[in-house]
Amino acid sequence: MQLTHFSDYALRVLIYLAAHSPERVPLPRIAEAYGISRNHLVKTVQTLVAGDFVRSHRGRGGGLELARSAAEIRVGDVLRATEPTLALLSCFDKAGDDCVISPACRLKGVLQGAMASFMAELDAATIADVARPKTAIKRLLHQG
């Protein structure tokens, strides 16, 4: 399984904001720190705002900030909001299931159990957990 760049960027934005909390951070500063195009981050940030992970402020003194404490933002929730699907195989979606052995196959159940364990692990982790230690994260972000 590989997560999309969209989810990767969303997690990076949240880690950046957690490391700099309670400061408001302009989007271009985050883009520059990670070496990611500002345009790539705009849609990502819009999704994070819609999901109530981030607040965006316009004008002088504006920027981005976490919408709630980093300790309240679960990594699993971020992935559910940013991944188009968490289905590992086409047979996970009955409408798209074109596998002739689906009615008898047990692989789907094994993979569903693995996905449940994967998501449980991500639900146990918060942005605060993955943004530690703040000082090291900040130092690394500003070396570039």
Side-chain angles (χ1 to χ4, degrees), residues 2-20:
Q2 184 172 350
L3 299 176
T4 61
H5 286 296
F6 194 79
S7 291
D8 177 24
Y9 294 165
L11 292 167
R12 289 190 205 195
V13 167
L14 293 170
I15 290 168
Y16 192 102
L17 294 175
H20 291 82

Side-chain angles (χ1 to χ4, degrees), residues 86-94 107-108 111-112 115:
L86 292 171
L88 295 175
L89 298 173
S90 62
C91 63
F92 279 42
D93 175 19
K94 288 182 182 182
L107 178 60
K108 181 178 177 180
L111 291 174
Q112 284 175 326
M115 179 58 84

